[in-house]
Amino acid sequence: MSDLHGAVDDYLTLRRSLGHKLERHNRLLHDFVEFLHGRETTTITTTLAVEWATMPAEAQPDWWATRLGVVRVFAKHHQATDPATEVPPADVFPAHSRRAEPFIYTDTQIRALLAAADKIHTPLKAATYGTLIGLLAVTGMRVGEAIRLDRTDFDPDSGVLTIRDTKFGKTRRIPLHPSTTDALVAYSQLRDTTLSTKRCEALFVSTVGTRLFYENVHPNFQRLTRDAGITTGERLPDRFDPSSVLL
């Protein structure tokens, strides 16, 4: 591991000890370090930070600003030990747009999303996204809460999900409809059969057996909305309003 990777780990440990969750920061910052290595440097500069932040060219400026903001705060911290570090200015990208109006998915649209997920060619990926979207729809869970679920957070005998360390640092339990419990059991069986030689503690996994990341879930959700013929609301919502749709 390079010194810069180590610096990222130390930074995250410090910030988390102060109560910050920093759910995306680990992946983003280590990805940025690998980008710097590809440029044969370990020195953070504004030019390289902006280049990395805008690498997803199809993304919205708000996402570029988020990526750059993650690097910017780390750079401010790292500058104390590496004076050559440049801290990108806060106004590189236009001011964030006003908060988007919430898009309420109808039962029909949610069913269309589930149908689109069912058409994904890879059976495990189809089951993962179909079950994830269905669970969000019937429980109103936050996306981050759902992808953080571990296997042990789902109790099929009692039909209860345990959501740990929520946005406000609390734990809550969600009773599930029997059809939702059955769907999660079926998904778990498919997951374990498909990935019989790989073990991941996550409830929802990728096709290679790793926990899902929001950065990957979002573009997949966008593709599903287009496949479902939904022309608005393509951004993955923080949460769905609980729907009458049952898995």
Side-chain angles (χ1 to χ4, degrees):
M1 177 181 292
S2 74
D3 290 342
L4 196 53
H5 276 301
V8 166
D9 288 338
D10 291 343
Y11 162 76
L12 293 175
T13 298
L14 175 62
R15 293 287 306 280
R16 285 168 177 158
S17 72
L18 298 175
H20 301 280
K21 293 184 182 297
L22 306 182
E23 294 174 357
R24 305 178 187 174
H25 289 54
N26 182 70
R27 180 177 175 83
L28 290 175
L29 286 174
H30 283 297
D31 183 75
F32 176 61
V33 171
E34 288 302 314
F35 168 80
L36 292 180
H37 288 172
R39 296 296 189 274
E40 299 183 346
T41 183
T42 58
T43 301
I44 300 173
T45 67
T46 296
T47 298
L48 289 174
V50 171
E51 181 183 349
W52 173 82
T54 56
M55 283 176 63
E58 72 284 359
Q60 296 294 319
D62 278 358
W63 179 233
W64 295 341
T66 296
R67 286 166 60 89
L68 187 62
V70 169
V71 172
R72 182 174 184 274
V73 178
F74 170 65
K76 289 174 67 176
H77 169 84
H78 190 60
Q79 195 176 52
T81 55
D82 182 3
T85 298
E86 295 180 4
V87 179
D91 59 352
V92 172
F93 299 109
H96 286 233
S97 59
R98 64 183 179 83
R99 189 175 182 86
E101 292 291 329
F103 181 84
I104 307 301
Y105 288 83
T106 66
D107 289 356
T108 299
Q109 289 171 326
I110 292 175
R111 291 183 188 278
L113 283 171
L114 295 176
D118 193 50
K119 294 178 182 177
I120 295 175
H121 295 305
T122 307
L124 178 59
K125 185 174 182 180
T128 297
Y129 280 90
T131 309
L132 174 63
I133 291 171
L135 183 65
L136 295 174
V138 299
T139 63
M141 292 175 61
R142 296 179 182 277
V143 177
E145 292 173 343
I147 62 180
R148 282 200 309 271
L149 286 172
D150 286 338
R151 295 164 178 255
T152 54
D153 293 329
F154 170 51
D155 183 352
D157 295 328
S158 64
V160 171
L161 274 179
T162 300
I163 314 300
R164 306 180 191 280
D165 194 21
T166 66
K167 184 175 182 180
F168 301 103
K170 298 180 179 180
T171 295
R172 71 181 191 277
R173 290 162 63 84
I174 300 178
L176 304 173
H177 188 278
S179 63
T180 306
T181 299
D182 290 344
L184 287 175
V185 168
Y187 171 73
S188 299
Q189 292 172 343
L190 175 63
R191 176 200 62 209
D192 293 345
T193 300
T194 304
L195 302 171
S196 58
T197 62
K198 299 179 181 179
R199 174 77 180 186
C200 176
E201 293 306 312
L203 177 62
F204 292 108
V205 298
S206 69
T207 54
V208 295
T210 57
R211 187 181 298 275
L212 297 178
F213 289 100
Y214 184 93
E215 291 82 1
N216 295 330
V217 173
H218 182 204
N220 279 293
F221 181 82
Q222 287 183 312
R223 284 191 288 272
L224 289 175
T225 58
R226 291 192 289 270
D227 291 345
I230 302 172
T231 57
T232 55
E234 288 185 2
R235 183 167 182 82
L236 179 61
D238 182 40
R239 69 167 83 191
F240 283 98
D241 283 343
S243 164
S244 60
V245 176
L246 297 177
L247 285 176

